[in-house]
Amino acid sequence: MKPVEMKDGVWWVGGIDWDLRNFHGYLTQRGTTYNSFLIMDEKIVLIDNVKHYLFEEMIERISHIINPAKIDYIVQNHVEMDHSGSLPEMKKIVPNATIITSPKGAEGLEKHYHSDWDYKVVKSGDTLNIGTRNLAFLLTPMVHWPDNMVTYCPDEKILFSNDAFGQHIASSERFDDEYPFNLIMEEARKYYANIVLPYAGPVNKALTAAAELDIEMIAPSHGILWRKHIPELMAKYHKWAANIAEEKAIIIYDTMWKSTEKMAYAIKSGFDEKGIPVKMCNLQANHISDIMTDLIDTKYICIGSSTLNNNILPTVAAFLTYMMGLAPKGRIGMAFGSYGWGGQSVGQIEVALTNCGFDLMKQHRLQYVPTKEQLQHITQSVIEELNNQEEK
Ligand code: FEO
């Protein structure tokens, strides 16, 4: 459990959560890390904590560098417990260390841990001299909670960005020039789609502020640290935050007796005819967080469900709830499904798509098992609608 020196006197001392697979609904198939950092200067600073069960791991890493009891400041960039869970144990070791956090951070920490800790509350533009270095603080509310802030060290040109620019990857490698770049970007994209997506406005503000900084390294609180591919990362964040949907389709469905699935493939044929790339996502085989990752830049979102007991299938309900929370904007939706007698599922999906603010394509709703002619009619209908859109 050794620390990793990022720059002279600046260390990664975080915890690696190799086995984590469920981050409140997000499939973290590569595990994750909770990154914390130690800056050795006249004052010793710990930036962020780790999840409670990795406290000993963090302490072991810090102990390779210094007695943890010598820490003077704890910068708590974010309240969420994956980054603050070890704070109560840490404070037992350093009762006199000052916690530096945002106004909402102090409020949130009090409401989590119910302790009488003293806080140094900072706002954007505040700085702290720690000897030969300075730290500057920038509040970044809603990236990811109201309390979030980032810490910048101009002397080292490191941005400690907390949740922003993270990825859920557990690895022995710490830097983006040590780990397969395509996998880092895949996980960064999944992270954005499943955590950051609803906060495009605050992300754009944070990107504008970050553009003013001279950055050589971005040290997020999850996953790999960025030092080689920062321009590529920034370009992707700008694109994702701009919410640019490409001419692509995704068909997400669950099916009881394959009738809804037949309809799904008939819809796919319509997109195929128009040369629009389309991805099929049976909810029995695809995790909702992976589907959201595809949805990040997909224009056409078609959702199908059979009707079960006057309702949509539970898998489809779960996906719709998840998607509504993440609130992708400016998409075109389509509802479809088969039914036996009630047939409520398609209308219920349309309500959800409307609540997302999507424009709607014509719905498709068929009783029992579709005929070949009915399926051809669906394909033709999709083609005609796409033709009409081209003419607009
Ligand atoms: Fe990684 Fe919002 O916590």
Side-chain angles (χ1 to χ4, degrees):
M1 302 290 184
K2 287 192 173 165
V4 175
E5 194 160 30
M6 300 153 58
K7 291 202 173 193
D8 275 355
V10 183
W11 297 81
W12 173 85
V13 292
I16 305 176
D17 204 344
W18 294 96
D19 297 333
L20 186 84
R21 291 295 179 272
N22 182 352
F23 201 100
H24 30 72
Y26 175 154
L27 174 67
T28 49
Q29 63 266 53
R30 292 191 168 91
T32 195
T33 67
Y34 315 104
N35 295 334
S36 55
F37 309 96
L38 193 74
I39 304 179
M40 298 294 296
D41 210 309
E42 288 166 28
K43 297 291 183 186
I44 297 168
V45 182
L46 177 68
I47 298 183
D48 285 329
N49 268 269
V50 294
K51 218 170 188 176
H52 66 98
Y53 52 77
L54 290 171
F55 171 68
E56 294 296 339
E57 187 173 320
M58 179 178 73
I59 286 295
E60 195 177 325
R61 290 201 164 92
I62 295 172
S63 300
H64 278 279
I65 308 162
I66 196 167
N67 177 352
K70 297 197 171 190
I71 289 170
D72 297 289
Y73 293 110
I74 300 171
V75 175
Q76 199 61 53
N77 280 320
H78 184 21
V79 169
E80 195 165 9
M81 285 182 279
D82 48 338
H83 309 297
S84 72
S86 65
L87 182 58
E89 289 304 310
M90 196 70 221
K91 278 295 280 178
K92 287 181 192 167
I93 295 177
V94 284
N96 296 322
T98 305
I99 300 171
I100 299 174
T101 193
S102 68
K104 290 277 183 196
E107 200 181 306
L109 290 170
E110 277 176 17
K111 287 180 178 167
H112 275 72
Y113 301 111
H114 313 289
S115 295
D116 56 355
W117 300 328
D118 285 330
Y119 300 98
K120 178 178 169 57
V121 172
V122 292
K123 58 186 186 313
S124 287
D126 285 356
T127 58
L128 176 75
N129 178 265
I130 57 171
T132 62
R133 300 176 181 88
N134 295 286
L135 298 177
F137 307 102
L138 172 67
L139 305 197
T140 52
M142 300 320 295
V143 189
H144 151 233
W145 279 12
D147 56 87
N148 271 86
M149 66 176 201
V150 300
T151 299
Y152 175 61
C153 180
D155 313 279
E156 302 291 353
K157 300 181 182 175
I158 302 177
L159 180 68
F160 299 95
S161 63
N162 197 266
D163 273 341
F165 310 119
Q167 347 81 44
H168 285 309
I169 296 174
S171 62
S172 299
E173 297 83 359
R174 293 274 68 79
F175 297 102
D176 61 347
D177 46 18
E178 301 173 338
Y179 194 85
F181 179 59
N182 62 325
L183 297 184
I184 307 173
M185 287 312 296
E186 184 181 313
E187 291 298 337
R189 176 182 161 90
K190 181 169 185 178
Y191 186 95
Y192 189 96
N194 285 275
I195 293 184
V196 188
L197 186 65
Y199 312 118
V203 169
N204 275 316
K205 273 190 200 162
L207 288 172
T208 303
E212 304 288 310
L213 304 175
D214 186 7
I215 297 173
E216 283 182 359
M217 186 181 291
I218 294 178
S221 57
H222 294 292
I224 300 287
L225 315 183
W226 303 88
R227 66 183 176 189
K228 182 180 178 190
H229 296 289
I230 293 172
E232 295 97 315
L233 171 71
M234 287 297 176
K236 284 292 183 192
Y237 257 68
H238 276 290
K239 182 183 171 207
W240 297 332
N243 194 38
I244 296 168
E246 296 170 10
E247 198 71 3
K248 296 194 296 186
I250 189 164
I251 300 175
I252 303 151
Y253 66 95
D254 197 357
T255 187
M256 285 171 67
W257 292 103
K258 302 277 184 195
S259 292
T260 297
E261 184 165 73
K262 285 178 181 155
M263 296 173 74
Y265 278 85
I267 292 164
K268 177 181 184 296
S269 296
F271 285 106
D272 287 344
E273 283 293 321
K274 293 300 298 172
I276 294 173
V278 53
K279 181 161 184 178
M280 304 303 289
C281 289
N282 184 331
L283 282 159
Q284 294 293 337
N286 293 275
H287 196 273
I288 56 175
S289 59
D290 288 322
I291 296 174
M292 274 312 301
T293 310
D294 283 316
L295 216 138
I296 194 172
D297 55 3
T298 297
K299 182 173 174 184
Y300 302 98
I301 299 168
C302 310
I303 301 184
S305 175
S306 327
T307 296
L308 174 69
N309 299 329
N310 303 330
N311 224 312
I312 48 182
L313 290 168
T315 48
V316 181
F319 176 74
L320 287 172
T321 301
Y322 194 65
M323 181 178 72
M324 281 192 281
L326 290 165
K329 301 278 186 301
R331 310 304 158 96
I332 296 177
M334 180 202 294
F336 66 94
S338 74
Y339 66 99
W341 47 99
Q344 295 91 337
S345 64
V346 175
Q348 291 169 3
I349 292 169
E350 274 203 343
V351 169
L353 295 174
T354 304
N355 287 342
C356 285
F358 297 174
D359 289 337
L360 293 182
M361 290 176 73
K362 182 178 178 307
Q363 63 165 247
H364 296 282
R365 186 169 165 275
L366 291 176
Q367 191 173 24
Y368 292 125
V369 178
T371 63
K372 195 174 164 190
E373 290 71 29
Q374 284 174 317
L375 293 174
Q376 283 170 344
H377 176 78
I378 289 175
T379 300
Q380 197 52 41
S381 167
V382 172
I383 294 169
E384 282 167 17
E385 263 197 284
L386 292 171
N387 285 340
N388 290 340
Q389 280 193 23
E390 278 175 0
E391 286 166 13
K392 277 183 192 168

